[in-house]
Amino acid sequence: MLVEPAVNPLAEGLERLPIRPTTLTIFGATGDLSRRKLLPALYNLAHEGALPERFNLVGSSRSDMPHGDFREMARDAIRQYSRRKPDETVLAALIDHARFVPGSFDDPKVYDEIAKVERELDEDAGIVFNRVFYLSTAPAFFPVIVAKLGEHGLNAKEGAEVRVVIEKPIGTNLAEAQELNREVLDVLDERQAFRIDHYLGKETVQNMLAFRFANGLFEPIWNRNFVDHVQITAAEDIGIGSRAGYYDKAGALRDLVQNHMLQLLTLLCMEPPVSFSADAVRDEKVKVLHAIHPPDPAHVDAMAVRGQYTAGVVGGDRVPGYLDEEGVPSDSTTPTFVALRLEVDNWRWAGVPIYLRTGKRLARKVTEIAVTLKPVPHLAFDEQGSVGVQPNQIILGVQPNEGVTISLGAKIPGSRMRIRPVNMEFLYGTSFMSESPEAYERLITDAMRGDATLFTRNDEVEAQWAICDPILAGWAADGEPVVQYEAGSAGPPEADRLLRPGERWRAI
Amino acid sequence: MSESGTVWSARDTTPSAVEEALRDLLKQRYEAGEHYAPARVLNLVVIADREWRGEIQNRLEKVGRYHASRTIICAVDPGRTEIDAVASVTADEDDIAAGRLVVAREEVVVDVGPDQLAHLDRVVDPLLVSDLATLVWSPHGHDEAVDSLLRLAQIVLIDSISALDVGDAVARAVALMDRAYVVDLAWLRSTPWRERVAATFDPPQWQPELARISAVTVRHQRDSAAAAVLLLGWLARRLGWQPGPICAPDASGHCEGVARGDDGEVRLTLDRDETMPIPGLAGVTIETRSGLAISLDRGPGGLSAWRRTPEGHESRWTVTGASRGESGILGEGIRQALLRDKGYRQALIAAEAMVCS
């Protein structure tokens, strides 16, 4: 049952608002994501006093181990992966009472046991804890676990909030996403479902909203009258590591474009929301996705290029090609690079190409959004002997250089009026001496608090897939070989054909 | 974090020469080919007795990630008439070694004499980075220097627990508030307690109990009564109580007062905890007329919490959180300089009614 929040007069003015007492159950608690991200995030929240006043941790996974072994594993994971060295007394306070429920996720006994543990925790405390279930499992188990939660009455609790956090991916195509959403909403209210895209937990991604809507400087030019085109790049210099099993089925479009890159695109293009409530923000993001017309599968070549890396040199080291990576089938056609040209067909953005580019084993790791403005209408300067006047660019750096750069034309010192581009830079590191919290720390507290602003709504996920599905279908049908690019390069030159005459991809 | 630095020093110098030296130091760094970007967050001006200068520098070194970007330490040296100065630009060696963009911080130590304090603004003004917020901290008194710097500074950092008398500390803070934004470390010492008291009463079943509070006891370290009074002031303000005067403490540090709430009187008690080795609060107990009682006390790994419900059900648990230590409190004070907390002013005014009448 959803409880209307009461007003707590003591909470007003506090920098950190209270979170109601919560029992967090992690399914897949001994897995990689839990050990590397979730447990360290919980520790850092505990260290900073940011967990709920009363907090219980319950782990569940197929590994059969006693409570003590789970606690030891959790302690080891936190010591190994936490962004700060743990204070052993805080670590003990967090972990010493953690409970573990072993078993297969389709085994009803697991849910009976979780219900029993939660009941005991409530009775011991004399209160009813809110429940958060975190699905940190293989995607195949998402519908299984959600259904079992419903069957065992764990999807609702009188006097408490029940929320379910679902990791990505939400399906591997539109039909699967719709099916999963249907299965989730058979059991839960949409307000109880928190679909994670950890990119949204990054400070620099959230800052896009502040940058756009807290500054009068940019909004007047943030439209088709002033913006020439946009490039969104998410380049990685690493290969697929030990993820061949997942990656070869997913490919670059599913891995990064459908979720993270479309999130960046929506934040860049959305209209100002009427408030920063979860639904007001997500309504505006969904409108942007709906304004992107899905391509005709027969004409995908006109707006998409896919590539696969071959052997090459990255950072001075020779690296194998994708087909030689461990676990990759020798005849795989999975794209490790994708470039797209999209258009947001609405009043603000019609006619402005938005280029997306992502890939593995590219020249370096960089995630950025580059907004190129239209050139000045008339140039009175002699360009001889200079680089000349370039259109202004506004570059929002997401990683590794977090900040905003604006390129301007400036006079080269000397007796002649010669111009060259210079950069005006804002870097997070120089203006905020604080360290950004891990995205998972922010997202876990938001889920416990019930704030879904930074989570993906069902219609948002489906709108993302509606754009990507025809591209996948087109590629599946065309029978064309995937183009190749050398590891350590900027990607396949074929990506240039998406650009308009005179445009070029930004250097990676 | 290990640091790499470039240093300049001069005797009998001028503020303009120091400012020029800082520019040269940065230029040297650029010429050395390192990717330097000077941090531009906050000017911090510290006025300290010269004999304690090293201790102040050590405290500032340990504040963690919340450094000011340009720190100017005015070291007061009795008998001195001329100005000596040492300027340095430092950065994280790991960033330099890794070839990353390097964020540089600047520090200037200026030795000044007592006669210069009333006009310290004339010394400090050329050393400030324009358009950055400026924070003044004067841990060893020297109020005349602080007064002279209020022309340049927007924020004053104080620690009300350092005053011998709580009433004097509150009165000084009230007076400063009219001229600058005040960050009080005594208030920041109470932050985790305020957050956790608020969280304790946050569940819907406990919120009605806020109107039934009948007694609040705050336990504090020997010198930290000001932090305890500010916590009571916050509760009074947030819950609409009219606080009355708190009596002077007896030999054991115990003192009491009364506040008037809509539904009756609230007994306010301060108790000194002689066993507590560090400044701050030791615990808080809140009781209500319906029989609910909660207690929060410092414990391993956070706060040890205890609750007795009106039905007599008792439970104990730990509210997790690491101690910030004195350096963490100072770092939090520097961070708060760039935020605005209206709660302090409100709590301070309520505290004034308790200790200044």
Side-chain angles (χ1 to χ4, degrees):
Chain A
M1 178 187 165
L2 295 168
V3 180
E4 285 304 315
V7 177
N8 175 358
L10 298 183
E12 190 180 314
L14 292 178
E15 191 177 342
R16 200 155 46 206
L17 296 173
I19 305 175
R20 299 267 161 89
T22 300
T23 297
L24 172 68
T25 303
I26 302 176
F27 289 98
T30 57
D32 208 41
L33 177 69
S34 173
R35 287 186 304 112
R36 285 174 181 271
K37 296 290 183 185
L38 305 184
L39 292 168
L42 288 172
Y43 171 77
N44 282 299
L45 293 171
H47 186 104
E48 289 168 6
L51 282 178
E53 173 234 5
R54 302 194 77 161
F55 176 78
N56 306 305
L57 174 63
V58 180
S60 180
S61 82
R62 286 173 292 179
S63 312
D64 192 5
M65 59 171 78
H67 295 303
D69 286 5
F70 172 66
R71 291 169 191 154
E72 202 47 47
M73 181 231 72
R75 271 189 281 267
D76 287 346
I78 289 165
R79 288 185 191 118
Q80 188 173 357
Y81 296 114
S82 168
R83 65 184 166 91
R84 59 158 66 89
K85 187 172 183 296
D87 175 323
E88 290 296 323
T89 61
V90 177
L91 187 56
L94 174 69
I95 298 296
D96 278 0
H97 302 290
R99 310 279 284 265
F100 186 69
V101 180
S104 173
F105 299 133
D106 57 1
D107 183 351
K109 282 189 223 147
V110 168
Y111 301 88
D112 288 339
E113 183 61 20
I114 288 172
K116 181 169 159 259
V117 167
E118 292 193 330
R119 203 165 42 245
E120 286 170 3
L121 292 167
D122 286 352
E123 286 167 4
D124 284 352
I127 59 171
V128 182
F129 286 90
N130 282 351
R131 273 84 158 130
V132 174
F133 297 99
Y134 199 118
L135 276 49
S136 173
T137 66
F141 292 113
F142 296 166
V144 175
I145 295 169
V146 170
K148 291 288 179 202
L149 290 174
E151 287 167 21
H152 288 76
L154 290 166
N155 57 329
K157 179 73 185 173
E158 183 73 31
E161 300 273 11
V162 179
R163 302 180 179 112
V164 178
V165 181
I166 306 171
E167 268 291 336
K168 75 159 191 160
I170 305 295
T172 62
N173 56 39
L174 177 59
E176 285 185 20
Q178 287 171 326
E179 176 64 17
L180 179 58
N181 281 336
R182 217 172 6 252
E183 288 165 329
V184 167
L185 297 180
D186 276 350
V187 176
L188 305 169
D189 186 282
E190 175 62 28
R191 283 189 298 169
Q192 295 175 274
F194 289 72
R195 298 172 193 82
I196 272 206
D197 183 335
H198 74 268
Y199 247 50
L200 290 175
K202 288 179 181 286
E203 289 283 328
T204 40
V205 173
Q206 293 164 45
N207 188 52
M208 287 174 65
L209 296 173
F211 176 78
R212 286 195 55 202
F213 303 128
N215 295 291
L217 182 62
F218 301 107
E219 199 53 24
I221 59 166
W222 219 250
N223 55 57
R224 65 191 303 276
N225 297 324
F226 293 90
V227 175
D228 187 75
H229 68 276
V230 175
Q231 291 186 21
I232 303 177
T233 301
E236 295 179 283
D237 55 357
I238 56 170
I240 55 165
S242 57
R243 298 168 68 222
Y246 156 75
Y247 195 88
D248 197 61
K249 288 193 184 73
L253 192 81
R254 290 189 179 98
D255 188 43
L256 272 175
V257 176
Q258 176 268 330
N259 36 63
H260 305 328
M261 296 190 77
L262 287 179
Q263 288 288 355
L264 295 180
L265 185 153
T266 54
L267 292 172
L268 183 87
C269 296
M270 66 189 268
E271 294 298 316
V274 291
S275 71
F276 275 93
S277 68
D279 277 336
V281 171
R282 296 188 297 182
D283 284 348
E284 295 303 335
K285 288 166 64 186
V286 171
K287 282 183 201 167
V288 173
L289 294 168
H290 285 160
I292 299 172
H293 291 299
D296 177 347
H299 298 105
V300 163
D301 267 6
M303 53 74 69
V305 168
R306 66 196 195 276
Q308 191 181 72
Y309 63 85
T310 58
V313 178
V314 177
D317 294 328
R318 294 211 65 80
V319 296
Y322 178 70
L323 297 181
D324 296 322
E325 298 274 17
E326 194 178 331
V328 173
S330 58
D331 58 350
S332 172
T333 57
T334 298
T336 61
F337 173 96
V338 171
L340 303 180
R341 186 181 68 224
L342 300 175
E343 287 193 19
V344 178
D345 287 326
N346 62 18
W347 194 276
R348 185 189 283 260
W349 293 109
V352 178
I354 298 178
Y355 302 109
L356 274 56
R357 176 178 50 158
T358 182
K360 295 276 187 194
R361 286 280 189 228
L362 294 174
R364 70 184 176 100
K365 177 185 171 74
V366 61
T367 302
E368 65 170 29
I369 298 167
V371 178
T372 302
L373 302 186
K374 294 193 168 172
V376 291
H378 169 70
L379 203 57
F381 308 116
D382 178 5
E383 294 196 48
Q384 271 190 353
S386 71
V387 176
V389 176
Q390 306 287 318
N392 300 118
Q393 282 195 323
I394 301 164
I395 296 130
L396 309 170
V398 176
Q399 60 185 13
N401 289 326
E402 303 177 337
V404 180
T405 302
I406 300 176
S407 75
L408 306 165
K411 180 182 175 296
I412 300 171
S415 57
R416 294 176 57 190
M417 183 57 89
R418 294 179 301 179
I419 311 290
R420 79 165 169 83
V422 294
N423 284 345
M424 191 164 77
E425 282 190 296
F426 151 68
L427 293 163
Y428 267 84
T430 62
S431 296
F432 299 96
M433 302 301 257
S434 60
E435 183 185 347
S436 296
E438 271 281 312
Y440 277 100
E441 293 169 29
R442 168 71 194 264
L443 294 172
I444 289 170
T445 49
D446 279 4
M448 288 194 288
R449 187 177 283 121
D451 181 351
T453 309
L454 300 179
F455 293 82
T456 315
R457 207 168 56 189
N458 57 344
D459 54 343
E460 194 177 353
V461 176
E462 291 174 18
Q464 291 170 341
W465 277 118
I467 296 164
C468 294
D469 249 19
I471 302 171
L472 291 165
W475 285 343
D478 68 9
E480 294 289 321
V482 60
V483 299
Q484 297 191 318
Y485 64 97
E486 191 183 336
S489 70
E494 285 82 351
D496 291 353
R497 70 175 161 76
L498 301 180
L499 304 174
R500 295 179 302 188
E503 290 176 347
R504 61 180 177 208
W505 290 104
R506 279 173 54 77
I508 285 179
Chain B
M1 181 175 85
S2 57
E3 292 195 329
S4 162
T6 309
V7 180
W8 169 94
S9 65
R11 307 195 74 159
D12 196 9
T13 187
T14 64
S16 300
V18 179
E19 197 270 337
E20 190 179 337
L22 278 170
R23 271 188 280 120
D24 284 346
L25 289 176
L26 273 176
K27 200 172 156 208
Q28 283 172 33
R29 286 290 198 173
Y30 289 133
E31 285 170 357
E34 292 153 348
H35 304 289
Y36 267 84
R40 290 292 176 254
V41 184
L42 181 73
N43 296 305
L44 169 62
V45 183
V46 184
I47 305 139
D49 290 342
R50 190 171 189 279
E51 63 189 301
W52 296 106
R53 185 187 66 188
E55 192 248 343
I56 293 294
Q57 283 175 303
N58 278 340
R59 284 183 71 181
L60 289 171
E61 264 310 303
K62 292 178 187 162
V63 299
R65 53 193 200 237
Y66 299 120
H67 285 283
S69 47
R70 181 174 285 187
T71 302
I72 300 154
I73 299 175
C74 302
V76 184
D77 188 9
R80 171 177 289 275
T81 53
E82 76 282 11
I83 292 173
D84 293 352
V86 178
S88 59
V89 176
T90 56
D92 186 347
E93 271 184 354
D94 294 341
D95 286 339
I96 299 169
R100 288 191 290 258
L101 184 96
V102 178
V103 178
R105 297 199 313 270
E106 301 141 305
E107 183 186 89
V108 183
V109 180
V110 189
D111 291 338
V112 296
D115 290 347
Q116 287 153 328
L117 294 183
H119 305 288
L120 195 62
D121 55 329
R122 311 293 165 86
V123 175
V124 167
D125 197 348
L127 303 179
L128 299 176
V129 179
S130 303
D131 299 326
L132 286 190
T134 297
L135 169 67
V136 173
W137 177 40
S138 188
H140 304 138
H142 304 300
D143 288 352
E144 73 277 33
V146 175
D147 290 341
S148 87
L149 289 171
L150 287 177
R151 179 177 74 78
L152 306 171
Q154 300 79 42
I155 313 120
V156 180
L157 181 69
I158 61 172
D159 190 353
S160 291
I161 71 163
S162 59
L164 292 176
D165 180 87
V166 178
D168 290 348
V170 170
R172 170 71 175 157
V174 169
L176 277 172
M177 259 192 333
D178 291 335
R179 304 174 65 193
Y181 178 70
V182 176
V183 176
D184 189 344
L185 299 184
W187 171 245
L188 301 183
R189 286 187 170 86
S190 75
T191 303
W193 301 87
R194 284 182 278 121
E195 287 177 352
R196 284 147 198 183
V197 168
T200 299
F201 285 96
D202 199 52
Q205 67 266 42
W206 303 130
Q207 284 193 24
E209 294 293 327
L210 287 170
R212 299 179 195 132
I213 290 177
S214 57
V216 181
T217 301
V218 185
R219 297 172 286 283
H220 61 87
Q221 185 254 8
R222 164 177 276 276
D223 298 323
S224 300
V229 170
L230 285 168
L231 180 67
L232 290 177
W234 169 72
L235 275 171
R237 179 67 191 198
R238 298 297 337 139
L239 298 175
W241 303 340
Q242 298 297 321
I246 289 180
C247 67
D250 63 18
S252 69
H254 174 89
C255 50
E256 287 188 356
V258 169
R260 244 167 238 298
D262 286 345
D263 295 340
E265 285 191 346
V266 182
R267 186 162 39 87
L268 308 177
T269 306
L270 299 184
D271 274 328
R272 205 155 67 199
D273 182 339
E274 299 288 0
T275 64
M276 192 165 149
I278 53 170
L281 302 181
V284 57
T285 301
I286 298 175
E287 297 164 78
T288 73
R289 276 181 282 281
S290 56
L292 175 76
I294 65 150
S295 236
L296 296 166
D297 288 276
R298 281 179 187 266
L303 300 184
S304 300
W306 167 83
R307 175 188 287 137
R308 186 194 61 225
T309 66
E311 299 76 34
H313 176 92
E314 289 191 28
S315 61
R316 293 178 188 277
W317 69 98
T318 300
V319 186
T320 55
S323 170
R324 294 172 293 175
E326 278 303 283
S327 52
I329 298 277
L330 180 58
E332 180 64 9
I334 293 171
R335 187 180 79 92
Q336 288 286 334
L338 295 171
L339 302 173
R340 291 295 177 266
D341 178 359
K342 290 179 188 164
Y344 174 64
R345 173 181 281 269
Q346 297 168 348
L348 192 66
I349 289 166
E352 191 179 19
M354 290 184 237
V355 295
C356 295
S357 43

